[in-house]
Amino acid sequence: METATALWWAVVVSGIYHGVNPGMGWPLAVSAALMDRARGSLYKALAALAFGHLVAMAAILFPFTVLFWLVDWQREIQIGAAGLVIALGVYLLINPRHPKFLARVPPSRLALWSFLAAMAHGAGLMLVPIYLGICGILQAGTGHAAAQTLMTGTAGIAVVVALAHTIAMTVSGGAIAIGVYHWLGLKFLSRSWFNLDLIWALSLILVGVISLLTLH
C-alpha cells in the first residue's frame, strides 16, 4: 500500500514539475493573453496546452497497456522502459537544444504544440516506469488473472495516470501563468526566465534508475 501511494504521488509530483517547466508551455499562455489583451485567452491557451499534453501522455501509456498481454514478460518490459527513459535523459544531456520543428508550429495551434513538445521532451516516457510500477502492484494483487481482465484494469490505470498528471501540470503551470499575467508582468518573464533542461535530463535518468532498482 505504501509503495502504491508513493507511485501515485510520483504521478502528481511529475505533473507539477512539468507544469512549472516553461518548456511545457505556460509562457505561451501568457503571451496569448497579452497579445489578445483578454484574460479569457489565457485560460483558453491553458486548456489547449492541457489537452495536447493529455493526448501525448495517453499516446505513450496505452501501447504499454497492450504489452500487458505478455504477462510473463512484465519484468523485461519494465527493464526496457527504464532503459528508454535513461537513454533519452542521456541524449538530452548531450544534445540539450530544443527541437527546431516546434518553432514552426503556429501560435494558434497550442494543442498541437503541446502534444509535440511533450513527445519531444520525453514527458510521457517519464511516466512509463511509474505507470508500470502501479500496474505491477495490480497484477500482484490479482495473481494470475486472465490477460483480458488484467489489460482492462491497466487501461483504466493509464487513463487515471494521464488525467492526474495533466491536472497537476495544468494547475501548477496555470498558477505561474496567472501570476505573471495579473501581477508580475513581462519584466518578470524576461528577467526571471529559468532553464530546467539540465534538471529535466537528470530527472529522466533518475526515474529510470529508480525503476531498475525497485524491480522485483
Side-chain angles (χ1 to χ4, degrees), residues 131-187:
Y131 163 69
L132 291 177
I134 295 172
C135 291
I137 293 173
L138 171 68
Q139 182 181 340
T142 57
H144 294 284
Q148 180 64 48
T149 301
L150 180 60
M151 197 175 80
T152 301
T154 55
I157 291 175
V159 172
V160 177
V161 166
L163 284 172
H165 173 86
T166 302
I167 290 171
M169 184 209 77
T170 305
V171 170
S172 60
I176 296 176
I178 291 170
V180 170
Y181 176 74
H182 285 290
W183 300 291
L184 300 175
L186 286 175
K187 289 185 178 180

Side-chain angles (χ1 to χ4, degrees), residues 43-207:
Y43 300 110
K44 289 179 182 178
L46 289 174
L49 291 169
F51 178 75
H53 198 84
L54 178 63
V55 173
M57 298 303 100
I60 293 294
L61 293 178
F62 275 105
F64 284 92
T65 297
V66 176
L67 288 177
F68 264 88
W69 279 97
L70 306 173
V71 176
D72 293 334
W73 292 85
Q74 182 189 345
R75 180 181 176 84
E76 287 74 14
I77 292 170
Q78 289 188 248
I79 292 173
L84 281 175
V85 174
I86 293 172
L88 180 60
V90 172
Y91 172 78
L92 292 177
L93 279 178
I94 298 171
N95 183 28
R97 291 177 296 178
H98 292 275
K100 294 181 179 179
F101 67 84
L102 290 176
R104 302 191 187 102
V105 181
S108 59
R109 305 184 71 179
L110 283 180
L112 175 61
W113 183 93
S114 179
F115 172 83
L116 294 175
M119 286 293 196
H121 290 287
L125 274 180
M126 180 182 281
L127 277 183
V128 169
I130 303 171
Y131 163 69
L132 291 177
I134 295 172
C135 291
I137 293 173
L138 171 68
Q139 182 181 340
T142 57
H144 294 284
Q148 180 64 48
T149 301
L150 180 60
M151 197 175 80
T152 301
T154 55
I157 291 175
V159 172
V160 177
V161 166
L163 284 172
H165 173 86
T166 302
I167 290 171
M169 184 209 77
T170 305
V171 170
S172 60
I176 296 176
I178 291 170
V180 170
Y181 176 74
H182 285 290
W183 300 291
L184 300 175
L186 286 175
K187 289 185 178 180
F188 172 85
L189 203 57
S190 60
R191 295 178 182 177
S192 303
W193 183 268
F194 50 100
N195 192 321
L196 296 178
D197 287 346
L198 176 61
I199 300 175
W200 180 271
L202 291 174
S203 64
L204 284 169
I205 296 172
L206 179 62
V207 167

